[in-house]
Amino acid sequence: MTTNTATEILTRYADDVAYIAEQAPATTLSDFTNQLSTAHVHLRLARFAGADDINTAATLLDTANSTTGPEHAALLDRALKHLAGLPEMATEYRQMAGD
């Protein structure tokens, strides 16, 4: 199993989440988790089927933020699986907004 770090997750997803949440890109896992929660609301209101995955990822990352070691790594990996559809959702969200 590949272990992902919080930095890698931020690098991969912060811009998309920030766009959907209408905020500047997060630089910490805690800020990213908060933005995911906001993005979840926006995606849910826009009736995106994958919105609940974003909420699940936020919950997992929030828990990961207070853990260390193997448990932390496992939570990051689980959250990453729930974020897999985010780039596609962000692209569609941008298209809906006309950007």
Side-chain angles (χ1 to χ4, degrees), residues 7-20:
T7 301
E8 290 168 334
I9 291 172
L10 286 171
T11 299
R12 192 178 306 173
Y13 296 109
D15 288 338
D16 285 340
V17 171
Y19 181 84
I20 296 167

Side-chain angles (χ1 to χ4, degrees), residues 27-90:
T27 57
T28 67
L29 186 58
S30 179
D31 289 344
F32 184 70
T33 300
N34 290 333
Q35 284 187 359
L36 277 174
S37 295
T38 301
H40 164 252
V41 171
H42 292 190
L43 292 170
R44 196 152 194 255
L45 288 171
R47 300 186 186 267
F48 277 76
D52 288 340
D53 285 333
I54 303 306
N55 191 49
T56 300
T59 301
L60 291 166
L61 291 172
D62 187 47
T63 304
N65 208 27
S66 62
T67 63
T68 59
E71 182 181 5
H72 179 78
L75 288 165
L76 292 179
D77 286 342
R78 286 180 56 203
L80 190 60
K81 291 176 184 172
H82 289 281
L83 293 172
L86 180 62
E88 186 177 325
M89 284 188 276

